[in-house]
Amino acid sequence: MNFRAEIDIMPLKELLDPQGKAVSSGLKKMNFTSVEDVRIGKHISIKLSANTKEEATTQVENACKKLLANPIMEGYKFELIAE
Amino acid sequence: MNFRAEIDIMPLKELLDPQGKAVSSGLKKMNFTSVEDVRIGKHISIKLSANTKEEATTQVENACKKLLANPIMEGYKFELIAE
């Protein structure tokens, strides 16, 4: 079966996000005054094949832990879509 | 009302994504052999206030067009969550 994993990797809440702060002040200067907070991370879309959804989940979890996210600074969450 | 916009900004399909290619070959070298394709973009989470969901949608659309996404190279999609 083919799956698509849509992964969001975001800076942990406890940490400052300078890129987000910069975009937030940029938006305010452009008259988006209702903006309260901006946080910026990565979005990764992976196509993979696996026999079951559980197997695909394990693979994506491992990929996040071993390569995609830096656990000291980032958290991840993902959604698996069968294709 | 308070809303949270979860925005994905991804390189257009027609374009090469060198960062995605690098991660894809990295994953393959780490024995994630079932990975077929990887694309990497940005994920932006914005907290904002607006009177209605329509107003919030318009604001996020404008922010994407004017600052967050580069329409020549990137596409965007977003989801609005009332908080």
Side-chain angles (χ1 to χ4, degrees):
Chain A
M1 284 172 81
N2 289 320
F3 295 93
R4 185 162 44 90
E6 298 288 344
I7 310 168
D8 288 333
I9 298 175
M10 299 298 284
L12 294 177
K13 272 192 206 115
E14 298 77 23
L15 298 178
L16 266 180
D17 172 14
Q19 206 187 348
K21 288 272 172 293
V23 167
S24 175
S25 77
L27 285 170
K28 277 172 194 155
K29 278 183 196 146
M30 291 166 77
N31 284 324
F32 292 97
T33 46
S34 62
V35 168
E36 277 157 27
D37 189 39
V38 180
R39 291 188 80 78
I40 301 189
K42 283 178 287 190
H43 184 82
I44 304 182
S45 173
I46 296 183
K47 285 186 186 166
L48 74 164
S49 56
N51 294 323
T52 61
K53 194 162 183 174
E54 285 68 37
E55 194 187 307
T57 306
T58 314
Q59 287 208 27
V60 176
E61 278 274 353
N62 282 334
C64 286
K65 281 185 194 150
K66 290 185 184 162
L67 184 69
L68 304 176
N70 170 358
I72 298 169
M73 298 177 63
E74 296 168 326
Y76 61 87
K77 62 178 183 200
F78 63 88
E79 204 183 343
L80 263 181
I81 299 129
E83 289 203 315
Chain B
M1 283 172 81
N2 289 320
F3 294 93
R4 185 161 44 90
E6 297 289 343
I7 310 169
D8 288 333
I9 297 175
M10 299 297 287
L12 293 176
K13 272 192 205 114
E14 298 77 23
L15 299 177
L16 266 180
D17 173 14
Q19 206 187 350
K21 288 273 172 291
V23 167
S24 175
S25 79
L27 284 171
K28 276 173 193 153
K29 277 183 195 147
M30 291 167 75
N31 285 322
F32 292 97
T33 46
S34 61
V35 168
E36 277 156 28
D37 189 38
V38 180
R39 289 188 83 78
I40 301 188
K42 281 179 287 188
H43 184 82
I44 303 183
S45 173
I46 296 184
K47 284 186 187 166
L48 74 164
S49 55
N51 294 324
T52 62
K53 194 162 183 173
E54 285 68 37
E55 193 188 308
T57 306
T58 314
Q59 287 208 25
V60 175
E61 278 274 353
N62 282 334
C64 286
K65 280 185 193 147
K66 290 185 185 162
L67 183 71
L68 304 176
N70 169 358
I72 298 168
M73 298 177 63
E74 295 167 326
Y76 62 86
K77 61 177 184 200
F78 63 88
E79 205 183 342
L80 264 182
I81 299 130
E83 288 203 317

